[in-house]
């Protein structure tokens, strides 16, 4: 579990030279230190200054901190977002700014050229041909697109909104519920400002997380969820190149293997219509079980200093929002983890079956991706940051082994038939014993077919007799031959 599971952001880094570095950072307007994790605040409040990364610096640059009336007026204008618990306009802006700053290795985002676009289209087209032999699900890619990092942000924000809003809603609601009802009318302006401020804070940190993720992902389905538009298989050429840089594998093979994974995800989400809502519903169900430490929140609100709005964010990072330790919440967590593992395990097994006979680097690329996930890749880090969930790599390997065993036992069609309904899928317990699930289910299906066939054979004459006798319900007309007489 993340150290700041509901902090909605990356933990701030300490300056190398300790307190002196903190003071210099504050004086220079650097907005990413621990005292100012959002990069904005009121001047003179905790030493926060203006800077290029400070979205409020232009508004408050020379403001006297004692002039609270003017401060609240301008702050209200900035944080007047009314679209929900998260200021998604700010999230988008921060994500784009984060992308424009480049990745830690110095790589800057760039527009995708015609040659890169064609290479992606060709890779996805070939990947779909290979997948035809590995799965019974037809192609789900109506088109193949090559995105820059900024384009990935734009295309995936609607999905992030659907994922994060349920969690943020719990936070925003708690801010207004901690006061007695008779006091809420009197404190209305303060509560409204706090909610708006909370929306801005969440928007900032979500924007940072999504912006960082945009520098790592290679497609639209890296986190096991359909983040992009339906039917669009997408790769990010810049990140694909970075992914294969130190692998000693030809770039064409790296691109093709990643295209296989993207196209496999697209097939699954396109032809299992209930899957998307099942996954997103599991996230929402998990969010409903989040418990807010109202005692701590009351203390924060009671000591809230308008000149130090970052105190709210610091409270978020101190574990104020935690999952409830209830059977229902544990079940929601297990359901979500299992569903994500089954998706990733199926893709892993199908892609390996398609790539192994054709790509000499298939084993190496498969293991690289598994290690990337195990060491805290995009999926684990993003879920841990946004909803306090870490997808356990052990579940992915177990799920992949289960799908491979199903392929051996039932063939491709029998394996993929399990996606017909969520109740047919393996459970978390089944992932602990994949071979047991395959053996048990195979016997059950066989016996069920036999029983249904015998029942149908016995019922057919009775049904015919019943239908013939149903034409007349008069007394004395229960004989079949009497039904045809008038």
């Amino acid at each position: 579990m993340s150290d700041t599971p509901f902090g909605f952001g990356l933990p701030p880094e300490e300056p190398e030279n300790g307190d002196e570095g903190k003071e210099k950072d504050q004086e220079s307007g650097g907005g990413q230190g621990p005292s100012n994790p959002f990069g904005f605040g009121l001047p003179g409040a905790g030493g926060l200054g203006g800077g290029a990364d400070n979205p409020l610096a232009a508004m408050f640059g020379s403001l006297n901190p004692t002039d609270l009336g003017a401060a609240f007026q301008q702050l209200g204008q900035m944080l007047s977002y009314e679209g929900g618990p998260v200021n998604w306009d700010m999230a988008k802006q921060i994500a784009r700014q984060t992308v424009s700053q480049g990745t830690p290795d110095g790589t800057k985002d760039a527009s995708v050229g015609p040659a890169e676009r064609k290479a992606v289209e060709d890779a996805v087209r070939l990947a779909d041909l290979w997948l035809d032999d590995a799965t019974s699900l037809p192609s789900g890619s109506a088109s193949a697109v090559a995105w820059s990092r900024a384009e990935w942000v734009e295309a995936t924000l609607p999905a992030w909104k659907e994922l994060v809003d349920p969690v943020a809603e719990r936070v925003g609601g708690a801010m207004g519920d901690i006061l007695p009802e008779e006091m809420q009318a009197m404190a209305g302006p303060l509560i409204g400002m706090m909610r708006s401020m909370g929306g801005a804070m969440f928007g900032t940190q979500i924007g940072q997380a999504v912006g960082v993720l945009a520098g790592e992902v290679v497609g639209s389905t890296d986190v096991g969820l359909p983040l992009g538009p339906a039917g669009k298989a997408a790769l990010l050429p810049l990140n694909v190149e970075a992914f294969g840089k130190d692998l000693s594998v030809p770039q064409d093979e790296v691109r093709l293997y990643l295209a296989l994974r993207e196209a496999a995800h697209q097939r699954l989400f396109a032809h299992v219509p209930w899957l998307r809502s099942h996954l997103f519903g599991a996230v929402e169900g998990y969010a409903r079980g989040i418990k807010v430490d109202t005692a701590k929140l009351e203390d924060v609100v009671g000591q809230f200093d308008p000149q130090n709005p970052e105190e709210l964010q610091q409270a978020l990072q101190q574990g104020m929002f935690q999952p409830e330790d209830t059977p229902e919440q544990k079940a929601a967590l297990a359901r979500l983890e299992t569903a994500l593992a089954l998706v990733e395990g199926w893709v892993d097994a199908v892609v390996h079956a398609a790539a192994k006979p054709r790509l000499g680097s298939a084993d190496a690329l498969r293991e690289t991706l598994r290690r990337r996930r195990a060491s805290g890749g995009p999926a684990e880090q993003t879920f841990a940051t946004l909803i306090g969930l870490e997808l356990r790599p052990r579940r992915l390997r177990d799920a992949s082994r289960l799908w491979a065993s199903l392929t051996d036992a039932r063939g491709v069609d029998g394996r993929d038939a399990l996606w017909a309904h969520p109740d047919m899928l393996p459970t978390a317990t089944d992932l602990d014993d994949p071979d047991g699930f395959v053996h048990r289910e195979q016997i059950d299906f066989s016996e069920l077919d036999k029983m249904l066939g015998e029942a149908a054979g016995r019922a057919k004459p009775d049904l015919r007799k019943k239908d013939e006798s149903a034409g007349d319900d008069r007394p004395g007309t229960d004989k079949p031959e009497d039904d045809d007489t008038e």
Side-chain angles (χ1 to χ4, degrees), residues 79-98:
L79 306 180
S80 60
Y81 180 76
E82 298 179 353
V86 178
N87 188 333
W88 287 102
D89 293 334
M90 181 171 288
K92 177 180 175 180
Q93 176 186 355
I94 297 298
R96 293 293 298 263
Q97 290 176 355
T98 303

Side-chain angles (χ1 to χ4, degrees), residues 158-209:
W160 289 119
K161 184 178 187 300
E162 191 173 349
L163 284 168
V164 175
D165 270 352
V167 179
E169 187 69 45
R170 297 280 295 175
V171 177
M175 289 183 174
D177 295 340
I178 59 174
L179 294 177
E181 185 175 352
E182 60 273 13
M183 295 182 60
Q184 290 188 13
M186 298 175 58
L190 176 60
I191 294 175
M193 188 192 70
M194 289 174 59
R195 285 179 173 172
S196 296
M197 189 175 298
M201 290 177 177
F202 291 142
T204 300
Q205 290 210 326
I206 291 169
Q208 290 173 346

Side-chain angles (χ1 to χ4, degrees), residues 120 123-124 127 131 233 235 254-264:
V120 168
V124 172
L131 288 172
L235 292 180
V254 174
R255 183 189 304 111
L256 182 53
Y257 192 87
L258 296 176
L260 281 166
R261 289 183 55 84
E262 178 73 9

